Amino acid sequence: MSTISEVHAEHDDHHHAPRGLMRWVLTTNHKDIGSMYLWFAFAMFITGGAMAMVIRAELFQPGLQLVEPNFFNQMTTMHGLIMVFGAVMPAFTGLANWLIPMMIGAPDMALPRMNNWSFWILPFAFTMLLASLFMEGGGPNFGWTFYAPLSTTYSPDSTALFVFSVHIMGISSIMGAINVIVTIMNLRAPGMTYMKLPLFVWTWFITAFLLIAVMPVLAGAVTMVLTDKYFGTSFFDAAGGGDPVLFQHIFWFFGHPEVYIMILPSFGIISAIVPAFSRKKLFGYSSMVYATASIAGLSFVVWAHHMFTTGMPVQAELFFMYATMLISVPTGVKVFNWVATMWKGSISFETPMLFAIAFIVLFTIGGFSGLMLAITPVDFQYHDTYFVVAHFHYVLVTGAIFSIMAAAYYWLPKWTGKMYDEGLGRLHFWCSLVSVNVLFFPMHFLGLGGMPRRIPDYALQFADVNAIVSIGGFAFGLSQFIFLYMVIKCIRSGEPAPAKPWEGAEGLEWDNLPSPAPYHSFTTPPEIK
Amino acid sequence: MSFNLRPGVTSISEQVYGLHMTIFYICCAIGALVFGAMFWAIFHHRKSKGAVPAQFHESTKVEIIWTVIPFVILIGMAIPATKTLLAMEDPSDADLTIQVTGSQWKWHYKYFDQELEYYSVLASDWGEVNGKLSKRANYLLEVDRPLVLPVGKKVRFLMTSEDVIHSWWVPDFAVKKDANPGFINEAWTIIDKPGIYRGQCAELCGKDHGFMPIVVIAKPQAEYDAWLAEEEAAYQAKQAQELALVAMTMEQDELMSLGEKVYEKSCAACHQVNGEGLPGVFPGLKASPIAVGDVSKHIDVVVNGVPGTAMQAFGKQLGLKELAAVITYERNAWGNDTGDLVQAKDVVAVQNAAQ
Ligand code: HEM
Ligand SMILES: [Cu+2]
């Protein structure tokens, strides 16, 4: 099998791969585009991380030491926007680009030229967003949730840039999602039925539908902000007959599915890694698929759990409470299935598995705090405090980001054809694991103790815990450079990797392709029994 | 610092605390089971111990069990939660109503059926914030005029806002409700114990969101009545005094020194102590067309605000004397040197013209 693919690889080089910078600018190859997405996401992760460091440095002590409150708000806003739209989402799209064709036996993504566009507009969106920091009045300072009327009547002049960059991010996401759907529906190898798709492909398939459903809603919301601010409409202005709470309904109708967009592909990744290192098939494949679909479905009917304090009829509060609680059932099924997969396996602990195990534990902790937040009467107390900040960082950082790290380690040999340095991988893992918990766990206490989120200065009683949190933050930030070093070292001087470096790994990418994977994955589709 | 939610001082806050603890314990129990099983597998089903993988990968029976059991647990949680929520959302039959209005960055309290209303702003000094003064015990949790409420009475709050969304939160009462501009929200509480209760604004409302504390003093009924009578008398005396002011003329020194104090308290948060504002966010006053131009336009801006911007109407927030003083100050500080002296009667003239 490998000889055939090597012949293809040479053949590809002759005909399709231009050299130099233009190779990257003009490329329509899913692997090039996947790599660019991943590097871009990492750059944004570091940029957004630097902003988090500014925030944590300011919060190290009570009082204002380093930044003005207005700049502090710009930092929290940009940090949130960059991490969500610049780091997590592009990283998942990068993984989708790299892996989906290899996993379903396709030569490339179905719409390669669109693929090129959907990547290349992103750097422009984020350049524009970052540039707004240098405008008079500064960048967006209204939180990544940009509640009106703070983001309309009271926002800085750079709001137009913010709106346009969100439009571009949205267009990019939609194009990416269309490509994923079309690829999965049309380019599966013969015999690859839906119920044989690897779970990563399934979770991305469902995620892509979520994206197409909600990104236009976000686009609508920002456009309404734009016209309210610059063209005299009053969608969100009570004085003109509008309603600021309407903004929140629209925003969260996008925003809640959005948080699932940032976690569903993780479920697919973990469902590939846990079986591989347990040397056992995934427990309950079909219930995993159904659980993912029901989480996606439920995500559309729970948006108002972000808005319990805005004042809603009590019937609505009850409905949103029950619906939100329900989500923990399919989520629980997933966690139980992973544990059952490990049960009576033959487990080994290479770096991807370490990240996967940490994911299961820490994501579950985030799930528990989520269940607590679902209980409306108690949510009144938690809402907009550091308890919430702790919750969503457990699901986003130790959830989404950890799964992305796990994926990077797991597939790096397939991408580069080289093995990474296992020692560095473990070092990165342990440093991240310890620091991330020092960073986010004490935030639960801050929230319960009464510290609101998004404040640049706080009462004296919160001082000690904030100092600890900040130290955890700096340590976590530094740990990520181990990862960067590990990747560079792997690319430049790693040991050559076999086609299937992981004993228990399953899937077309391991069994039917050499490492590194050839430029075009499958020029002749593999036959699946 | 307390590391947990506080039980608070109302029956609702105690129920909320109870719910919080119950669900926390349930989560701990589930966590112990799941993580326990996982770590058992990690220790005993390790490859390095020679574990041989089993072949099972499906069991409809267990999967049904672990779908149904969580469902039942959830129903067990939903029942008490529903009861508490229904109780929380019933503001009927209140003994007393307070209108709470948020604005950037202060709270305004208005007692219904009484002649009393006032603003409540952060009392910590900016010197404490930027490290020039040492911080007092209740740093950032102290205000110049706390809200005073009677113990054991059902108090209804009507929340609204003049500009952006704020959120009025006192943890000890388990009350957090958004103050939305142009709309009114309801909440209520019955405080069981006299005391001083502190909270903060809980919705990102702009630059000084972190500096918008809430302080409530709960007094026994008799003390509360006495306090109320005193405040009402003082309020009326103040109104009468305002009328008398119209006939008076103040000297430049007095206007400037009072004006500087008022400016620092009410205006400097946005326009900055040096009058230069924050470019692109808040306009500067130093050499600005309004501050050195037509006096009545300047008075109008301060008294009535500029609708659709962060500039509030200070006509209600400040007394005539303070208004006259601060406008005079703005026209003569930072080299504005217009020499204009604004008197109470000038302010009244603009107020009347607007009506
Ligand atoms: C180095 C790691 C990180 C640190 C130290 C950190 C820290 C913080 C802090 C201090 C806040 C402000 C909380 C507030 O006052 O509201 C924040 C907000 C936020 N963070 Fe992170 N964070 C980190 C990583 C991430 C990652 C990886 C993501 C996304 C995957 C993320 C998503 C967010 C979001 C969405 C917000 C809310 C922004 C807003 O309030 O508008 N963070 N983070
Ligand atoms: Cu506020």
Side-chain angles (χ1 to χ4, degrees):
Chain A
M1 124 222 115
S2 66
T3 43
I4 300 177
S5 310
E6 269 154 28
V7 172
H8 278 298
E10 265 171 45
H11 168 90
D12 291 337
D13 277 348
H14 285 306
H15 289 269
H16 299 287
R19 302 267 162 210
L21 185 64
M22 276 329 209
R23 147 143 191 227
W24 299 101
V25 175
L26 299 178
T27 185
T28 51
N29 180 279
H30 74 104
K31 298 193 174 76
D32 290 348
I33 294 174
S35 302
M36 290 196 295
Y37 265 112
L38 289 168
W39 280 111
F40 177 78
F42 189 77
M44 286 295 121
F45 180 55
I46 297 298
T47 312
M51 293 173 176
M53 297 302 111
V54 173
I55 299 172
R56 280 322 321 174
E58 175 57 57
L59 291 174
F60 191 78
Q61 275 179 29
L64 293 177
Q65 290 88 29
L66 299 171
V67 298
E68 294 294 320
N70 192 42
F71 187 69
F72 182 92
N73 289 351
Q74 293 172 38
M75 286 292 106
T76 50
T77 306
M78 291 290 242
H79 164 75
L81 287 168
I82 288 179
M83 287 300 189
V84 169
F85 295 104
V88 176
M89 294 175 67
F92 278 139
T93 315
L95 292 174
N97 264 298
W98 253 105
L99 298 173
I100 291 177
M102 298 204 299
M103 286 178 160
I104 62 173
D108 204 309
M109 296 294 278
L111 307 165
R113 282 176 209 284
M114 187 165 89
N115 211 7
N116 174 288
W117 267 95
S118 62
F119 171 75
W120 273 112
I121 60 180
L122 273 185
F124 292 93
F126 283 90
T127 307
M128 193 147 85
L129 188 64
L130 285 166
S132 72
L133 280 176
F134 301 98
M135 274 181 77
E136 200 176 65
N141 58 3
F142 26 64
W144 86 281
T145 52
F146 58 104
Y147 283 179
L150 186 61
S151 61
T152 54
T153 315
Y154 300 88
S155 58
D157 294 340
S158 61
T159 305
L161 287 185
F162 157 79
V163 169
F164 294 142
S165 68
V166 171
H167 274 146
I168 298 177
M169 293 168 204
I171 292 171
S172 163
S173 300
I174 290 181
M175 293 201 292
I178 291 174
N179 221 338
V180 166
I181 293 176
V182 178
T183 305
I184 297 174
M185 301 224 300
N186 293 317
L187 299 189
R188 277 168 296 130
M192 173 73 80
T193 59
Y194 278 102
M195 284 319 260
K196 279 192 187 150
L197 288 180
L199 262 166
F200 178 75
V201 180
W202 250 119
T203 52
W204 240 114
F205 194 45
I206 293 172
T207 303
F209 282 103
L210 286 184
L211 275 168
I212 291 180
V214 299
M215 293 314 284
V217 179
L218 175 67
V222 289
T223 307
M224 287 153 95
V225 164
L226 187 80
T227 61
D228 264 17
K229 182 166 171 67
Y230 298 98
F231 304 112
T233 58
S234 41
F235 293 110
F236 308 130
D237 178 7
D243 180 353
V245 177
L246 172 70
F247 172 84
Q248 294 182 36
H249 283 291
I250 300 174
F251 178 82
W252 286 113
F253 189 77
F254 147 78
H256 196 78
E258 168 67 21
V259 305
Y260 289 91
I261 288 167
M262 291 190 284
I263 202 68
L264 294 186
S266 305
F267 294 164
I269 293 167
I270 301 304
S271 302
I273 293 176
V274 169
F277 295 94
S278 305
R279 293 167 181 75
K280 196 163 149 273
K281 276 184 82 161
L282 180 71
F283 188 87
Y285 172 89
S286 42
S287 63
M288 286 298 218
V289 174
Y290 299 135
T292 310
S294 24
I295 294 173
L298 280 170
S299 75
F300 283 102
V301 293
V302 297
W303 76 88
H305 70 210
H306 297 271
M307 322 164 37
F308 285 138
T309 61
T310 56
M312 265 185 282
V314 67
Q315 294 85 345
E317 290 181 335
L318 286 173
F319 170 79
F320 286 109
M321 171 168 81
Y322 300 146
T324 306
M325 292 170 79
L326 268 186
I327 292 193
S328 54
V329 175
T331 313
V333 167
K334 295 202 149 268
V335 174
F336 299 141
N337 280 351
W338 290 321
V339 175
T341 307
M342 290 168 69
W343 190 256
K344 297 222 162 132
S346 171
I347 310 174
S348 59
F349 302 95
E350 288 86 343
T351 311
M353 184 62 166
L354 292 177
F355 272 103
I357 294 173
F359 170 96
I360 299 176
V361 175
L362 300 175
F363 172 77
T364 305
I365 293 178
F368 286 144
S369 57
L371 178 60
M372 296 173 79
L373 284 160
I375 311 295
T376 312
V378 204
D379 176 76
F380 289 122
Q381 290 283 54
Y382 305 141
H383 179 69
D384 264 330
T385 69
Y386 261 84
F387 190 82
V388 173
V389 181
H391 159 71
F392 69 72
H393 281 98
Y394 265 84
V395 291
L396 283 175
V397 181
T398 62
I401 300 270
F402 268 31
S403 78
I404 292 166
M405 296 287 179
Y409 282 100
Y410 185 61
W411 279 289
L412 208 49
K414 183 56 61 183
W415 296 338
T416 61
K418 313 259 184 67
M419 290 309 285
Y420 63 85
D421 181 332
E422 187 65 43
L424 279 178
R426 286 180 193 214
L427 180 70
H428 173 223
F429 169 75
W430 287 107
C431 289
S432 299
L433 180 76
V434 172
S435 58
V436 87
N437 283 294
V438 176
L439 168 58
F440 296 123
F441 202 77
M443 286 189 185
H444 291 111
F445 302 131
L446 288 176
L448 295 175
M451 180 165 159
R453 66 191 279 214
R454 296 165 167 168
I455 59 176
D457 190 9
Y458 48 83
L460 300 178
Q461 76 217 50
F462 304 123
D464 297 343
V465 180
N466 267 304
I468 295 171
V469 166
S470 289
I471 291 170
F474 302 138
F476 183 71
L478 286 178
S479 307
Q480 301 324 306
F481 290 97
I482 307 175
F483 177 73
L484 178 63
Y485 178 71
M486 181 282 301
V487 175
I488 292 173
K489 185 166 172 216
C490 170
I491 294 174
R492 306 181 83 183
S493 60
E495 299 284 310
K500 179 165 164 175
W502 317 118
E503 188 189 341
E506 265 190 43
L508 293 181
E509 79 271 32
W510 307 112
D511 294 328
N512 294 36
L513 293 176
S515 301
Y519 198 61
H520 289 291
S521 298
F522 289 95
T523 29
T524 28
E527 194 73 44
I528 289 141
K529 310 141 283 279
Chain B
M1 168 193 154
S2 122
F3 284 91
N4 197 358
L5 220 55
R6 280 164 284 168
V9 290
T10 70
S11 83
I12 292 283
S13 67
E14 268 156 32
Q15 287 178 48
V16 165
Y17 176 79
L19 270 173
H20 160 76
M21 289 316 285
T22 314
I23 290 155
F24 174 68
Y25 290 134
I26 295 175
C27 289
C28 288
I30 301 174
L33 281 174
V34 174
F35 302 150
M38 202 170 128
F39 286 111
W40 178 275
I42 287 176
F43 280 113
H44 295 275
H45 308 151
R46 251 179 307 158
K47 183 175 181 236
S48 57
K49 269 185 74 180
V52 182
Q55 291 308 314
F56 69 89
H57 57 83
E58 219 162 33
S59 160
T60 316
K61 198 164 62 190
V62 280
E63 289 181 70
I64 289 179
I65 293 176
W66 67 41
T67 312
V68 172
I69 293 183
F71 199 77
V72 175
I73 299 176
L74 287 185
I75 294 176
M77 293 179 183
I79 292 169
T82 305
K83 279 195 195 128
T84 306
L85 186 63
L86 289 176
M88 278 176 122
E89 294 290 350
D90 174 20
S92 58
D93 301 322
D95 300 305
L96 167 72
T97 300
I98 309 278
Q99 181 178 319
V100 179
T101 310
S103 60
Q104 289 176 322
W105 289 273
K106 46 179 105 42
W107 295 102
H108 178 251
Y109 299 115
K110 183 174 188 333
Y111 288 72
F112 272 40
D113 312 319
Q114 257 88 37
E115 241 198 275
L116 181 59
E117 57 183 295
Y118 54 86
Y119 283 85
S120 175
V121 301
L122 175 72
S124 304
D125 193 285
W126 283 102
E128 291 177 66
V129 176
N130 54 36
K132 299 216 173 72
L133 294 174
S134 64
K135 299 178 176 45
R136 291 183 296 221
N138 285 309
Y139 174 66
L140 294 193
L141 295 176
E142 48 189 355
V143 297
D144 61 345
R145 296 195 69 182
L147 175 66
V148 178
L149 295 176
V151 167
K153 286 282 158 67
K154 185 161 184 176
V155 183
R156 183 169 67 131
F157 301 107
L158 299 181
M159 316 282 184
T160 186
S161 164
E162 281 183 349
D163 40 44
V164 302
I165 299 171
H166 303 267
S167 190
W168 198 82
W169 178 35
V170 180
D172 282 313
F173 307 161
V175 171
K176 183 186 284 156
K177 247 311 136 69
D178 289 1
N180 297 318
F183 293 84
I184 291 179
N185 266 333
E186 274 183 316
W188 66 271
T189 190
I190 301 176
I191 309 166
D192 289 342
K193 275 205 285 263
I196 301 177
Y197 304 108
R198 296 171 198 275
Q200 279 178 278
C201 173
E203 179 62 74
L204 177 60
C205 56
K207 178 170 88 58
D208 284 352
H209 165 53
F211 306 98
M212 220 178 137
I214 295 153
V215 179
V216 178
I217 300 186
K219 295 183 189 257
Q221 189 68 40
E223 277 178 45
Y224 170 77
D225 289 338
W227 174 85
L228 194 62
E230 210 173 287
E231 289 294 316
E232 276 186 302
Y235 184 76
Q236 274 158 15
K238 182 113 190 285
Q239 304 292 86
Q241 199 190 356
E242 289 285 282
L243 280 179
L245 271 176
V246 182
M248 280 170 40
T249 308
M250 285 182 286
E251 299 299 323
Q252 170 152 20
D253 289 352
E254 190 189 357
L255 286 168
M256 287 299 282
S257 68
L258 175 62
E260 183 169 7
K261 281 198 205 103
V262 176
Y263 182 83
E264 276 170 13
K265 180 164 167 248
S266 301
C267 321
C270 297
H271 297 293
Q272 308 298 302
V273 179
N274 59 14
E276 285 169 9
L278 286 178
V281 187
F282 301 116
L285 299 176
K286 187 174 173 177
S288 84
I290 299 225
V292 298
D294 178 23
V295 184
S296 58
K297 175 77 183 129
H298 187 174
I299 299 176
D300 177 59
V301 167
V302 176
V303 169
N304 299 317
V306 184
T309 73
M311 181 61 193
Q312 303 166 2
F314 285 91
K316 273 195 320 177
Q317 303 182 28
L318 300 172
L320 286 175
K321 196 170 169 179
E322 291 167 317
L323 285 167
V326 78
I327 297 167
T328 306
Y329 178 75
E330 286 174 355
R331 298 186 73 77
N332 295 286
W334 323 297
N336 277 358
D337 297 331
T338 57
D340 296 334
L341 297 189
V342 179
Q343 299 294 346
K345 61 176 176 296
D346 304 323
V347 177
V348 175
V350 171
Q351 275 173 338
N352 289 345
Q355 272 154 18

